Amino acid sequence: MADGLTHVLVAYALATLLSVRYPWITARLTTVAMVGGTLPDLNRLKWVVPPETIESVIGASFSWRPMHSIGGVAVAICIASLTVRAEYRRAVALLLALGALSHFALDLLLVPPAGTYQYLWPLTDADVVFPGFYSSRDRWVAPVAILLALAARSIARRRYRALERGPAIRADG
């Protein structure tokens, strides 16, 4: 589960840092980015609802594997952004995409074969493989993600406090 925690924390750190530059990214929308960090792992629903069960219901072949691809995540983002009010759709879609892309970036750093997926489906069925930097079993990854999230929060708080104090302009008469 450290892998899932890492995806959520990295998405949080990115959204929090971006909120310093873009004030429209609120705490609620930061949470949306965190949800986006979990979207590619919806392919793990195969353990809860096997593809065969869905095939028997819909009468067509089904697989959870495309959820861990750009195409599958794009469909999920479109569906999710349609569930919110119109004025939030663009922000929700952007932050879900931010979280999902951070997930894919972290997965590309996994040591193969864990880091091999058909990320570019439906454009190509080819597995995208990078040399890898860490294993999903490595224990150091989650603490690093925690430190990144804490650092991002600290930077954002410092920035917000500086904005609350206002400009340090003195009027000497």
Side-chain angles (χ1 to χ4, degrees):
M1 203 61 211
D3 191 38
L5 176 65
T6 302
H7 291 305
V8 169
L9 289 174
V10 168
Y12 169 81
L14 288 172
T16 300
L17 289 174
L18 287 172
S19 73
V20 171
R21 171 71 170 94
Y22 303 102
W24 59 266
I25 301 177
T26 62
R28 287 182 180 180
L29 289 173
T30 299
T31 305
V32 171
M34 295 166 67
V35 170
T38 65
L39 281 180
D41 282 340
L42 286 178
N43 69 340
R44 294 181 182 177
L45 285 174
K46 67 183 173 196
W47 297 326
V48 178
V49 182
E52 298 79 23
T53 304
I54 295 175
E55 287 174 358
S56 67
V57 171
I58 65 174
S61 93
F62 182 82
S63 173
W64 287 107
R65 185 161 173 85
M67 276 311 305
H68 207 286
S69 69
I70 301 236
V73 167
V75 170
I77 289 171
C78 288
I79 292 170
S81 62
L82 289 174
T83 64
V84 298
R85 291 192 305 210
E87 64 263 22
Y88 296 113
R89 285 188 183 145
R90 179 177 292 173
V92 166
L94 285 172
L95 287 162
L96 285 173
L98 173 73
L101 289 174
S102 70
H103 182 115
F104 288 133
L106 287 173
D107 279 359
L108 286 173
L109 297 175
L110 285 170
V111 174
T116 60
Y117 285 100
Q118 297 169 341
Y119 293 108
L120 300 177
W121 181 88
L123 302 175
T124 178
D125 287 339
D127 283 347
V128 177
V129 182
F130 281 83
F133 180 64
Y134 69 96
S135 168
S136 61
R137 293 186 191 123
D138 287 346
R139 294 177 188 250
W140 63 268
V141 180
V144 168
I146 291 168
L147 289 175
L148 285 173
L150 290 172
R153 184 65 186 143
S154 175
I155 290 168
R157 277 192 174 175
R158 194 173 311 134
R159 174 76 172 136
Y160 296 141
R161 285 185 185 140
L163 290 174
E164 286 175 356
R165 280 188 237 131
I169 299 173
R170 287 183 23 179
D172 292 338

